[in-house]
Amino acid sequence: MQKQLPTHAQVVIIGGGIHGCSVAYHLAKAGWTDVVLLERKQLTSGTTWHAAGLVGQLQGSHSTTAFAKYGVELLREIEAETGQNPGFRQSGSISIAINDERMAELKRKADFASLFGVEAHYLSTAEIKERWPLMNADGVLGGIHMPSDGSANPIDLTNALAKGARQYGANIFENVKVEQVLVSSSEVLGVETEHGTINAEFVVNCAGMWARELGQQNGVGVPLHACEHYYLVTEAIPDLPEDLPVLRSYCDGTYWKEDAGKLLFGFAHFNAKPWATKGVPNDFCFDSLPFIEDDVMEVLELAMNRVPLLQETGIRTFFNGPESYSYDGRFTLGPAPDIKGYFMLAGVNSTGIQSGPGAGKALADWIMQGYPPMDLSEMDPSRCEEFQARDLFLRERCPETLVLTYAMHWPNRQRESARNVRRTPFHHALKEHGACFAEVQGWERPAWFAPEGIKPQCEYSFGRQNWFEYAQNEQKAARENVAMIDYSMLGKLMIEGVDAESFLQRVCTNNMAMAAGKVAYTLMLNDRGGIESDVTVARYTDVAFMMMSSISHTRRDYLRLRDQIQPGEDVRLRDVTPSFGVLAIMGPRSRDLLSCVSDIDFSSSAFPFNSHQTFYIGHAKVTAQRLSYSGESGWEIFITPDFAEYVFDVLMKAGESFDLKLIGGEALNALRIEKGFVHWGHDMAYTEAPHQIGLEFVCKPNQASPFVGQAAYLDRKAEGGGPFLYYVKLNNSMPLLHHNEPVLCDEKVVGFVTAGAYSYTLNTAVGLCLLNITEDGFKGPCSVMVEGEAVSAEVSRTPFYDPESKRMLQ
């Protein structure tokens, strides 16, 4: 007989897969024993039970790699703690390459591993063949060996976590379905189950492939969709080595592992299909899906070629099971944007077993301490726009995430599904001028422009891609002449009301008590002194301001502002992003161009930096702010959509006399990196304080009322802790920097490149980096690891291009 449900719990966790059990275990182990986990059927019965159980520590980001590394540590220890063997075998893993580009990617991954102290080293083809004798070595160029990887039994690991959770005081109930999460006044009250109500302070949605539908009941976007995922298990193979490493052949789309004397091999599909498009069946439990040979035949043939033994070995299990994939390949981990006390962990893209222990611990820590334990901004549920959590979008986009799992992880790789969702007023005109579009938050944004006669399509590479020369010419135009870029997709948030100024003084670090017509660059901090966002704010009237956000963080900034409004404050927020097209003009001749199309004075005395004015371009009334993200003198021109194409045509016509050049995001990124301008989410996040990033100049702590996070920022500044933002350029003009390359000082890893590009002006690769050294502790020669080679580099605390900013202020 099942024990009776409690009527109250501090935390209720929905879902008894590896993530729910991990959250329960880590909460209870930390002393939060009033925890209830509810599983609709039996533990692991959704997707956990049929996972392949691979444990690979090297993931795609700092946070997911940290999760996986912690997972290995827990796998080594949990049996001694709970008595439950998780079935962990540390047999290592080998990833092979059959072309030069894949080899370059693997070497970059091995470089990345060094940031975490995870061993990863190159193996020759002969060495791989020695360790994996069943492999056909034809075409194999070499590979990367990670000795501390391996595999675990998903059911045993989950049961170990559940047993540990119970030992520490948590309650776990099986066969209890949560009917709905109870919410009132945007705050969690508890859950309603088929066996009664449980009141709770926190509810955690770990419902796996049911998480999206559960979230939809309360308007919570959980951007994932279940997709069909296949693997096969052979008959027993005589004398199969038990210590056989996990073998991954990304180019073949296949992985292999030893499984109780058999081989399990699975696929990263070339063509993936969404499953349960009309909803996941309520009675789904330890079930599989129909196995359709045509869906995997192409990959199966590659697998049989790579491991010829498969051609003469019977198949015991043909398995097809659902796995949850997100629209952008990132987890969803953290609090729901609109409901206090509602947390979620879902959409982990077939990495649940290796990431589950670490992800569950991170979420448990977030709940207990009230803030994330590390930079988890890439997983923030508030990154997701409303349309990106709708079933229509997810059915199109999520299967592509599965397809890309083993595909090349090219720098600037673009998704092909669910495109042309959001377009600026200049889209068609830019397309006619040869724009190759990249997608950001659904927006189609020019990445670069193809010359006449050249197809605007990327040919990906870790080296110089086909657009390299074109983007160099775009940089040249911005540095030496005049260039124009579409900024329309940047976020535009109106902050209005009698209390707008005092509100912004509280939430922003810079002085917002500026005159109408002024613009200020500012930060928003959290209570720990960390940077939550960097934005520009323009004052229009006594009661109206506009805040401009980066493309990816508009919703996040809006929600932060909304949540900072205090009861009784007369502050109103409006997202007016689509209400204006924006064209940015930059370069030493930008003033000359604008003077040709308008009759106002664009001199620095009449139109100073950090100001805005309203005037006419031809027949169109526009507003322009004098700012720069390129390091050159420039203006950002705001135009209502009805006049947008007209103004574009006027500027292009006038620009013929100045050789005006359209530029895209690739060129702008290089311009801002060589100038040393940062981007939130790449070069900093809420874990870094202003003194670390060199942004103290926009922190004005001597105001009459302190800004949010002021005391913590000053404390952190006094402590002087790092890491610190530095600027790096290679002393060799051939290698390229993208991001995450380790930086070495005196042959020791001291940090990593946060963003990299190739500078036209400096004729070499440049980057921003976070380093755990101060100027006083800077010793020995510096280098950057690029594809396994230490490339000599120059590192500086000041930007390499125009460090005094004379050009953009002139």
Side-chain angles (χ1 to χ4, degrees), residues 762-810:
L762 302 174
N763 193 32
T764 192
V766 295
L768 305 180
C769 49
L770 285 173
L771 306 183
N772 285 296
I773 53 175
T774 63
E775 288 182 343
D776 293 339
F778 201 92
K779 298 178 182 178
C782 293
S783 60
V784 180
M785 291 297 297
V786 181
E787 297 175 16
E789 299 292 333
V791 180
S792 173
E794 182 179 345
V795 173
S796 170
R797 283 305 297 270
T798 56
F800 293 105
Y801 182 80
D802 191 23
E804 297 179 358
S805 298
K806 293 179 179 179
R807 293 179 65 87
M808 72 180 189
L809 299 177
Q810 64 186 7

Side-chain angles (χ1 to χ4, degrees), residues 509 523-526 528-532 680 683-696 699 709-710 712-725 770 797:
T509 63
L523 307 177
M524 292 190 285
L525 305 185
N526 54 44
R528 303 173 307 284
I531 302 169
E532 287 286 345
W680 196 93
D683 313 305
M684 59 181 176
Y686 45 64
T687 45
E688 283 75 46
H691 78 277
Q692 297 172 249
I693 311 300
L695 293 177
E696 294 178 80
C699 297
Q710 178 174 307
Y713 151 62
L714 292 174
D715 288 344
R716 290 178 66 171
K717 177 184 174 182
E719 292 169 0
F724 299 94
L725 186 76
L770 285 173
R797 283 305 297 270

Side-chain angles (χ1 to χ4, degrees), residues 154-355:
I155 294 176
D156 291 341
L157 172 56
T158 305
N159 285 331
L161 291 167
K163 187 175 181 180
R166 291 188 182 101
Q167 284 180 194
Y168 291 116
N171 284 299
I172 296 178
F173 296 86
E174 297 179 283
N175 298 303
V176 177
K177 181 185 176 184
V178 173
E179 302 288 356
Q180 63 176 321
V181 177
L182 303 176
V183 174
S184 178
S185 301
S186 300
E187 187 170 349
V188 155
L189 298 180
V191 297
E192 181 70 36
T193 80
E194 54 193 350
H195 298 292
T197 299
I198 304 177
N199 297 317
E201 300 171 42
F202 300 96
V203 171
V204 186
N205 181 349
C206 289
M209 57 186 171
W210 290 271
R212 184 186 78 257
E213 296 173 48
L214 181 65
Q216 287 171 346
Q217 295 180 2
N218 301 104
V220 174
V222 188
L224 61 84
H225 203 288
C227 298
E228 298 185 13
H229 190 38
Y230 290 80
Y231 65 73
L232 287 77
V233 182
T234 69
E235 298 285 355
I237 299 174
D239 302 320
L240 186 67
E242 292 184 2
D243 60 349
L244 205 63
V246 172
L247 180 69
R248 294 181 178 88
S249 179
Y250 294 103
C251 296
D252 295 319
T254 312
Y255 62 84
W256 296 265
K257 75 161 190 171
E258 190 276 336
D259 184 59
K262 303 177 286 294
L263 272 183
L264 181 152
F265 59 108
F267 312 108
H269 307 274
F270 297 148
N271 296 289
K273 296 190 296 187
W275 179 71
T277 56
K278 296 183 180 179
V280 180
N282 286 326
D283 60 352
F284 192 90
C285 177
F286 295 113
D287 292 326
S288 61
L289 308 178
F291 191 97
I292 302 172
E293 286 190 15
D294 287 347
D295 288 348
V296 297
M297 188 54 65
E298 183 179 3
V299 190
L300 182 58
E301 290 175 354
L302 293 171
M304 289 182 171
N305 175 67
R306 187 59 57 204
V307 182
L309 183 67
L310 300 177
Q311 300 174 22
E312 54 191 64
T313 303
I315 303 298
R316 173 175 291 185
T317 303
F318 293 85
F319 187 82
N320 179 13
E323 293 275 2
S324 295
Y325 292 86
S326 66
Y327 72 94
D328 58 0
R330 298 172 179 173
F331 296 14
T332 297
L333 189 160
D338 298 311
I339 302 177
K340 184 179 179 182
Y342 191 126
F343 283 76
M344 61 189 97
L345 169 54
V348 298
N349 311 299
S350 283
T351 65
I353 304 307
Q354 56 203 11
S355 300

Side-chain angles (χ1 to χ4, degrees), residues 385 387-388 418-424 427 439-445 489 551 554 575 577-578:
E385 301 275 358
F387 77 92
Q388 292 171 317
R419 291 294 297 267
N420 290 299
V421 174
R422 306 170 87 178
R423 308 178 202 180
T424 78
H427 178 85
E439 181 254 339
V440 184
Q441 289 294 91
W443 287 104
E444 296 293 331
R445 180 190 188 190
M489 64 292 298
I551 305 169
T554 302
D575 184 351
T577 301

Side-chain angles (χ1 to χ4, degrees), residues 46 65 84 123 185 208 333 426 545 574 733:
T65 301
Q84 172 70 54
L123 288 182
S185 301
L333 189 160
F426 311 108
F545 298 77
R574 289 188 295 134
S733 63

Side-chain angles (χ1 to χ4, degrees), residues 607-656:
F607 204 143
F609 194 77
N610 279 341
S611 70
H612 67 88
Q613 296 183 32
T614 298
F615 54 92
Y616 281 85
I617 292 179
H619 304 293
K621 189 176 184 180
V622 303
T623 297
Q625 22 184 68
R626 188 174 170 201
L627 293 172
S628 177
Y629 197 48
S630 66
E632 302 296 330
S633 180
W635 283 261
E636 299 169 357
I637 305 168
F638 292 69
I639 315 142
T640 53
D642 52 336
F643 281 103
E645 286 194 61
Y646 165 75
V647 171
F648 179 88
D649 291 341
V650 169
L651 288 168
M652 289 298 292
K653 181 65 176 176
E656 292 176 0

